Amino acid sequence: MPSASVNSPSIVPPAAVGFVGLGKMGNPMARNLARAGYAIVAHDVDRGALGRARDATGAEAPGSLKAMASRCGAVITMLPDGEAVRAVVLGPGGAEDCLLAGFPRGSVLIDMSSSSPLGTRALGARLAERGVAMLDAPVSGGVRKAADATLSIMVGGDAHSIARCRPILETMGRQIFLTGPLGSGHAMKALNNYVSAAGLVAAAEGVLAAQRFGLDPGNVVDILNASTGMNNSTLNKFHQFILSRAFDSGFSLELMVKDLKTALEVARSTGSPAPLAEACLEAWTEAQAALGSGLDHTAVVRHWEKLAGSELGKKHG
Ligand code: NAD
């Protein structure tokens, strides 16, 4: 059953757009939507986050997911994971105040969180039964690119819904990649973050060993960046967040571990060999358990520093 008429128009300003999850990424993304002229209808379980989003976007906050869905042609979710997305769409334990209870036929749910693609496909099927379309449109680029609307967005779903929502996505991202059917964007995002996490581990191991061999770690990072060992972490994380000891990139360790689990789920569900991803998940999970919760993902190096008995930037004894 088609979820929206083939003639449904594009969703353009000043249309109302629902936004659920106004944390580190959701806040600047909603701000860019508001700047483009969309009327934001916001929801977050954290009152502080909701208040900041209202200040930044002039958003309405009806306090009810059902009311949001009934008044917005499109609702964006930017939540920690797919379970949180299912909770707001279907209602935790069948609660009545959920998006599904308010969506008219022809609405679109755009899940921009980094969710599990298998859960996304199942949720999309539930929504399609009610004539509601779903896109998965996760992002890469972090808080800085969310703020200046230059995110990379990887979009899965049907072509008509993508065309309807393209004006919304273009207010938040510079590059919009079409990845295929629903779930393919989420698979791509998790695999991207696996490759990114593996690059961070490789660089941390290399810089630590180089320092213990007597090299200066800042110099090592500069040489990697001018050589074939360069990767996104050496370029954009080592000087900025690791050697500086700031550890404040804006992307948490918990969320990276979640993404690694999702990437392995994709590899396993397709029967793809992924021994490096297995080792990477083990290394990050062990670091998370040792370091505790609430840290930025760049602080993961502290665990390997402890194992090595050397802190990056300091001479070892
Ligand atoms: P965050 O923790 O800062 O924000 C999540 C927000 O969702 C919080 O404000 C929280 O209160 C809210 N929330 C959680 N459960 C809720 C619920 N049931 N109902 C309503 N609100 C709820 O996380 P973030 O860093 O903004 O990440 C959001 C998503 O984007 C994650 O899936 C993450 O993996 C992905 N992502 C993050 C980054 C980054 O650099 N931070 C980059 C790319 C993708």
Side-chain angles (χ1 to χ4, degrees):
M1 182 190 310
S3 47
S5 139
V6 285
N7 296 318
S8 308
S10 293
I11 303 168
V12 293
V17 172
F19 209 113
V20 188
L22 294 137
K24 293 186 199 72
M25 294 294 286
N27 182 304
M29 289 163 69
R31 211 181 318 135
N32 286 323
L33 273 170
R35 273 192 196 132
Y38 287 99
I40 307 299
V41 182
H43 181 84
D44 197 298
V45 286
D46 177 342
R47 284 173 175 274
L50 188 58
R52 284 189 292 280
R54 292 187 72 179
D55 292 344
T57 66
E60 266 183 80
S64 151
L65 290 162
K66 184 178 171 185
M68 169 191 283
S70 66
R71 97 171 63 144
C72 300
V75 173
I76 293 171
T77 41
M78 194 55 179
L79 293 163
D81 56 25
E83 270 179 42
V85 175
R86 272 189 293 285
V88 301
V89 175
L90 304 175
E96 279 184 13
D97 184 34
C98 61
L99 293 173
L100 191 61
F103 273 138
R105 297 183 74 77
S107 309
V108 191
L109 173 74
I110 310 173
D111 182 20
M112 302 191 78
S113 330
S114 304
S115 303
S116 152
L118 304 180
T120 298
R121 283 189 191 159
L123 183 60
R126 290 282 299 274
L127 287 165
E129 286 167 10
R130 301 280 284 271
V132 177
M134 179 172 180
L135 299 179
D136 50 332
V139 305
S140 186
V143 172
R144 186 170 55 83
K145 292 194 174 190
D148 59 17
T150 57
L151 291 166
S152 300
I153 307 182
M154 27 211 123
V155 192
D158 72 277
H160 175 60
S161 302
I162 293 172
R164 289 184 70 207
C165 296
R166 190 176 267 280
I168 294 176
L169 300 175
E170 283 174 346
T171 67
M172 294 178 277
R174 177 177 289 162
Q175 286 187 288
I176 296 174
F177 295 98
L178 305 192
T179 49
L182 183 66
S184 59
H186 281 153
M188 180 65 238
K189 170 63 189 173
L191 293 168
N192 173 75
N193 277 23
Y194 153 56
V195 174
S196 170
L200 196 153
V201 182
E205 289 178 354
V207 179
L208 257 174
Q211 174 174 307
R212 288 168 64 81
F213 198 75
L215 283 82
D216 173 73
N219 198 24
V220 172
V221 172
D222 291 341
I223 295 168
L224 288 171
N225 284 339
S227 310
T228 52
M230 174 261 286
N231 67 31
N232 179 58
S233 294
T234 65
L235 270 181
N236 297 315
K237 297 181 187 174
F238 267 77
H239 279 301
Q240 298 84 339
F241 307 117
I242 296 173
L243 298 184
S244 69
R245 317 304 289 175
F247 301 121
D248 62 353
S249 77
F251 181 52
S252 74
L253 181 50
E254 279 82 8
L255 291 177
M256 183 62 107
V257 170
K258 173 234 7 178
D259 289 339
L260 283 167
K261 285 182 186 153
T262 307
L264 261 181
E265 195 181 290
V266 174
R268 285 177 186 147
S269 71
T270 52
S272 313
L276 188 57
E278 301 268 3
C280 197
L281 174 61
E282 197 180 312
W284 281 77
T285 307
E286 190 187 289
Q288 185 190 18
L291 293 168
S293 59
L295 294 177
D296 191 79
H297 80 288
T298 53
V300 72
V301 298
R302 286 192 201 151
H303 179 59
W304 300 315
E305 288 175 337
K306 274 189 201 145
L307 294 180
S310 305
E311 188 174 293
L312 282 172
K314 282 198 183 155
K315 294 213 179 312
H316 67 282

